[in-house]
């Protein structure tokens, strides 16, 4: 890993702006590009980075390219092609939430340059970054990205191989599918489901993951629970109507103020501040 990388962040929205701050705070040179120049300028200012008005300008001489454009396969593939044409050397990391690297790299001249570096929202607060190789990604690239992220203070978790949604989003998707199923059945409101997590599951999950929780609860008990519950879970294989319909009418949540629950424009900032305080408290519990 180089002492000081030159990191080009492409896409300066919810995630890209935070990713730019992560690498800038770690002492790397950071450049930002966005098709919306105002977004690039805001992100660059908040990170102490430089804003660029073209992909080519941002990636020229870059050693790491971090793609954080919208979750649309064709858009990402076109952007990766622009990067390859303008930079022959950099590692290209995508912050995609769910797209398997081999699908992203399908049109690339050199798929070995691609790795997934999946940050979590807010990117400069949540420690986890999943590092996911595609079939052509060398181990050395996974190791270099993992080392870079670890040195930047993140908790980098390398996966052995690719799978759609990686670890955390597969777990989130399973949970969110059942959360929406419970609301669709009229069992609970969104507020009640959220409270069951924040007053019960969430605090435990901040300290113990599913396998540790099962060990703590007893694998005999969990065997009975799994046998009893699994056959009754919702089995939606696509976004349920209550999610898709809201997105289709432009109720996008914090982005627009209306989603499942009313959100004002400051909600993401308040959440990030409370999350940072919680992580600091956990660090104190764990001995710093
Ligand atoms: N929002 C979230 O909670 C998380 C999102 N992600 C992933 O990160 C990526 C970005 O997501 P968000 O930041 O939420 O999206 P966003 O919509 O907030 O930001 C995307 C940015 O990309 C820009 N953009 C559009 N086309 C572009 C292009 N061709 N080149 C450069 N920039 C372009 C847009 O102007 C926008 O500013 C997606 O792949 C998403 O799945 C990953 C983790 C969490
Ligand atoms: O939760 C996160 O920050 C990440 O797992 C994501 O990728 C987002 O949830 C994304 O899937 C939707 O915002």
């Amino acid at each position: 890993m180089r002492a000081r990388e030159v990191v080009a962040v492409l896409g300066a929205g919810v995630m890209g702006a935070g990713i730019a701050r992560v690498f800038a705070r770690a002492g790397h040179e950071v450049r930002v590009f966005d098709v919306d120049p105002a977004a690039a300028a805001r992100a660059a200012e908040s990170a102490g980075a430089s804003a660029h008005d073209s992909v080519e300008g941002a990636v020229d001489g870059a050693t790491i390219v971090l793609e954080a454009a919208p979750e649309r396969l064709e858009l990402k593939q076109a952007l990766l092609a622009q990067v390859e044409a303008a930079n022959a050397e950099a590692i290209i990391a995508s912050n995609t939430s769910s797209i398997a690297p081999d699908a992203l790299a399908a049109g690339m001249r050199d798929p070995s340059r691609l790795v997934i570096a999946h940050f979590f929202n807010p990117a400069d607060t949540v420690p986890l970054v999943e590092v996911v190789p595609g079939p052509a990604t060398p181990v050395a690239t996974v190791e270099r990205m993992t080392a870079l992220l670890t040195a930047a203070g993140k908790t980098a978790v390398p996966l052995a191989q690719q799978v759609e949604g990686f670890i955390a989003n597969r777990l989130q998707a399973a949970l969110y599918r059942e959360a929406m199923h419970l609301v669709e059945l009229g069992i609970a409101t969104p507020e009640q489901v959220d409270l069951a997590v924040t007053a019960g599951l969430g605090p435990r999950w901040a300290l113990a993951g599913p396998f540790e929780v099962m060990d703590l609860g007893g694998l005999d008990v969990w065997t009975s629970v799994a046998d009893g519950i699994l056959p009754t879970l919702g089995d939606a294989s696509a976004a349920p109507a209550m999610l898709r319909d809201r997105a289709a009418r432009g109720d996008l949540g914090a982005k627009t103020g209306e989603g499942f629950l009313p959100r004002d424009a400051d909600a993401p900032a308040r959440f990030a501040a409370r999350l940072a305080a919680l992580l600091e408290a956990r660090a104190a519990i764990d001995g710093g």
Side-chain angles (χ1 to χ4, degrees):
M1 184 186 86
R2 295 167 172 76
R4 189 168 192 261
E5 302 280 0
V6 177
V7 181
V9 177
L10 307 180
V14 168
M15 296 305 289
I19 292 169
R21 289 193 290 271
V22 168
F23 287 114
R25 287 172 189 160
H28 302 294
E29 178 189 342
V30 178
R31 297 105 169 257
V32 179
F33 167 77
D34 195 294
V35 292
D36 174 2
R42 285 194 302 272
E45 184 180 7
S46 81
S50 58
H52 291 256
D53 58 9
S54 70
V55 171
E56 292 72 16
V59 305
D60 182 29
T63 56
I64 305 283
V65 176
L66 204 302
E67 175 274 309
E71 189 75 347
R72 297 204 306 268
L73 176 60
E74 296 76 17
L75 185 151
K76 290 182 182 295
Q77 288 175 329
L79 184 53
L80 296 183
Q82 275 187 277
V83 172
E84 277 201 298
N87 179 308
E89 301 297 328
I91 287 178
I92 304 171
S94 173
N95 187 52
T96 179
S97 297
S98 62
I99 303 170
D102 63 348
L104 272 183
M108 289 181 71
R109 288 201 297 258
D110 183 1
S112 73
R113 296 177 61 188
L114 182 71
V115 67
I116 304 299
H118 178 225
F119 289 74
F120 288 73
N121 185 24
D124 50 342
T125 303
V126 177
L128 178 62
V129 181
E130 294 169 315
V131 181
V132 186
T137 310
V139 171
T141 298
V142 175
E143 291 172 346
R144 181 172 160 202
M145 183 56 69
T146 301
L148 174 69
L149 292 163
T150 303
K154 307 305 285 184
T155 300
V157 175
L159 275 61
Q161 56 180 309
Q162 69 172 7
V163 64
E164 286 77 2
F166 325 134
I167 297 173
N169 268 353
R170 291 179 76 88
L171 296 179
Q172 282 198 116
L175 177 69
Y176 298 171
R177 174 172 65 181
E178 190 53 31
M180 289 183 274
H181 183 56
L182 288 167
V183 173
E184 284 173 340
L185 291 177
I187 305 291
T189 65
E191 292 85 350
Q192 288 166 334
V193 172
D194 278 5
L195 195 55
V197 173
T198 58
L201 300 177
R204 285 199 320 203
W205 285 344
L207 300 172
F211 290 97
E212 186 168 0
V213 168
M214 285 193 281
D215 277 351
L216 292 171
L219 303 190
D220 53 339
V221 178
W222 276 104
T223 298
S224 302
V225 168
D227 286 342
I229 295 177
L230 290 182
T232 71
L233 294 181
D235 61 358
S237 59
M242 69 185 300
L243 174 58
R244 190 183 305 279
D245 292 349
R246 283 173 169 85
R249 64 174 182 257
D251 289 340
L252 304 182
K255 288 182 183 180
T256 60
E258 197 60 46
F260 287 121
L261 306 168
R263 285 275 183 274
D264 60 40
D266 294 333
R270 286 199 307 274
F271 174 72
R274 293 173 69 214
L275 183 60
L278 178 68
L279 289 166
E280 283 175 19
R282 187 184 70 170
I285 292 169
D286 295 342

